[in-house]
Amino acid sequence: MLSKISLAAKKYKVLKYLVLSWCALFAHQSVAKVVIAIVGKTKNDSFYQQAFKGCLHFSNEHPEIECKYDGPKDFQDIRSQSMVINRLVDQKIDGLIVATTDSQHLVTRSLMALKSKNIPVITFDSDLLEKHQQYRLAYVGSNNFDFGVALGEQVKKLTNKANNTLCMQSGHHTTPNLNKRIAGVRYALSDQATAHLSGKNGWREHSRCPLFSLGKREESLKQLMHLLKMDNPPIFLAVAGFAQFNPHYVNALAPFKQRIADKDIIIVSADTEEIQLNVLSRGLSSANIGQNPFEMGRLSTKLMHDYILYNKKPAQSHYYTDFHYCTQSNASKCTVNH
């Protein structure tokens, strides 16, 4: 009798152990996260931080998603971007959402390896070149050629002169989205998308432009100030925020406020981050055209979530987000920064 009781007790203990082990395994699996990394061209840029907030917004509704954020710390450095991505891969990520600085470098130094590891990639803000797009699932962001056209059309509204000289400021000379914006500006002003503006339709580019700042805030402001101190400053058009992200921009531009009001100096910039709208509301910029980085991050995360968890590929190769127009009169209400 005792042996039967002892045998039953042993069976109970074994069964209990199996049940508890199964529960522990299930509990571990239920809290396992799908880790998605957001990597911008630079880490300390509020534009890319808004994209990360878009990822976090999606993850609040889908707790199985964990968002990580990283990027080159201070400026658009192609090597640092790949190093950051490779480090994230070593830390175990399930998907990458990245804004391309240099397509060739990014593919050869990072994305080829991700593809071999079956880690999916979505680009945002800045896509890979067409020849490299096999290394990503989809692109989410502005139609950058159209965005450049919009910037060019905005510039035309601000001048009544028959002949105008323009200087564009960009970041890295290989960055796909910025080069498309430059092409869009040229097309809007003179129906040509590649060559420097040479006088057609009354528009030409300054001989020293475009300027390439690598997104360095100090260098960007220095380049702008050099132009403004000329006897006849060219119209200044930044195809991304650059100088306006410099905390010294307001003090540096204050002496030129009246000339900006008189349209003797014209400054147009892409993007409408909070620091830029402050500049615009103070009359230290002529106009800004903004994008939607929060939605870029949110939608990219949704597409990645659906692919990783449900093997649902994006239905489109390109998902274009909207952009908006900000002037001194509507700077307080033209957009929402997250």
Side-chain angles (χ1 to χ4, degrees):
M1 184 67 166
L2 289 174
S3 62
K4 288 183 178 180
I5 294 174
S6 177
L7 183 61
K10 287 181 179 180
K11 288 182 177 179
Y12 173 77
K13 287 181 179 180
V14 171
L15 180 61
K16 181 179 180 181
Y17 173 78
L18 291 173
V19 170
L20 290 175
S21 297
W22 181 82
C23 289
L25 178 61
F26 180 80
H28 174 74
Q29 290 177 338
S30 66
V31 298
K33 296 282 189 176
V34 173
V35 181
I36 297 175
I38 310 285
V39 175
K41 297 176 194 171
T42 54
K43 186 176 182 179
N44 64 348
D45 190 322
S46 60
F47 183 96
Y48 299 114
Q49 290 165 2
Q50 285 202 72
F52 177 57
K53 289 178 181 178
C55 181
L56 292 175
H57 177 81
F58 185 86
S59 70
N60 287 338
E61 299 173 349
H62 299 82
E64 67 274 19
I65 295 294
E66 177 184 343
C67 301
K68 282 192 173 183
Y69 177 68
D70 213 333
K73 185 177 180 182
D74 292 317
F75 66 98
Q76 296 175 12
D77 181 71
I78 62 176
R79 295 171 184 82
S80 293
Q81 187 176 53
S82 284
M83 289 171 64
V84 164
I85 292 169
N86 298 341
R87 184 171 67 244
L88 286 166
V89 171
D90 290 341
Q91 296 171 1
K92 308 300 181 186
I93 60 172
D94 300 292
L96 171 69
I97 299 170
V98 60
T100 305
T101 299
D102 183 288
S103 186
Q104 181 69 37
H105 189 91
L106 185 61
V107 166
T108 56
R109 300 301 178 90
S110 296
L111 300 194
M112 283 182 174
L114 266 71
K115 189 168 186 177
S116 70
K117 297 174 187 289
N118 294 316
I119 299 174
V121 175
I122 288 176
T123 55
F124 80 105
D125 176 50
S126 181
D127 199 3
L128 296 172
L129 295 175
E130 187 173 351
K131 64 182 180 179
H132 296 141
Q133 290 177 8
Q134 61 183 300
Y135 293 99
R136 54 81 160 156
L137 291 173
Y139 164 74
V140 179
S142 298
N143 180 319
N144 283 290
F145 183 84
D146 288 353
F147 191 48
V149 170
L151 288 165
E153 292 295 339
Q154 182 65 55
V155 164
K156 286 198 289 189
K157 294 177 182 178
L158 293 168
T159 178
N160 294 318
K161 295 179 180 178
N163 294 289
N164 297 274
T165 302
L166 176 76
C167 181
M168 286 185 277
Q169 184 182 63
S170 188
H172 196 282
H173 70 279
T174 63
T175 302
N177 70 324
L178 302 184
N179 287 339
K180 284 188 176 182
R181 293 177 193 177
I182 289 172
V185 171
R186 289 171 175 161
Y187 183 81
L189 298 179
S190 66
D191 302 323
Q192 60 189 69
T194 53
H196 278 217
L197 301 175
S198 57
K200 183 180 179 182
N201 295 343
W203 288 92
R204 67 177 61 251
E205 284 177 71
H206 192 276
S207 59
R208 296 186 59 185
C209 302
L211 303 172
F212 296 98
S213 67
L214 297 180
K216 295 181 178 180
R217 298 174 183 184
E218 183 176 348
E219 180 65 19
S220 299
L221 183 57
K222 185 186 299 184
Q223 289 176 346
L224 172 58
M225 295 307 297
H226 177 76
L227 293 174
L228 296 185
K229 291 175 182 177
M230 294 180 175
D231 291 336
N232 295 296
I235 294 172
F236 181 79
L237 171 56
V239 295
F242 304 136
Q244 292 184 346
F245 290 133
N246 190 311
H248 302 296
Y249 181 98
V250 170
N251 289 337
L253 271 289
F256 302 95
K257 182 175 181 178
Q258 187 57 52
R259 294 181 68 189
I260 294 172
D262 295 338
K263 296 184 180 180
D264 182 37
I265 289 174
I266 295 173
I267 299 173
V268 174
S269 179
D271 298 330
T272 52
E273 300 300 292
E274 187 172 347
I275 191 170
Q276 294 178 278
L277 294 179
N278 177 53
V279 163
L280 184 60
S281 65
R282 288 169 176 251
L284 301 177
S285 177
S286 306
N288 287 59
I289 301 180
Q291 305 175 82
N292 196 339
F294 181 87
E295 177 60 13
M296 293 181 196
R298 188 205 67 81
L299 179 54
S300 295
T301 305
K302 179 186 184 303
L303 294 172
M304 189 69 78
H305 164 272
D306 292 350
Y307 179 75
I308 293 173
L309 293 180
Y310 306 113
N311 198 31
K312 179 182 177 183
K313 292 185 177 180
Q316 303 168 204
S317 175
H318 297 75
Y319 291 80
Y320 291 132
T321 53
D322 61 343
F323 42 88
H324 49 269
Y325 299 80
C326 296
T327 61
Q328 293 177 12
S329 62
N330 73 348
S332 64
K333 58 186 178 182
C334 60
T335 189
V336 175
N337 282 304
H338 296 270

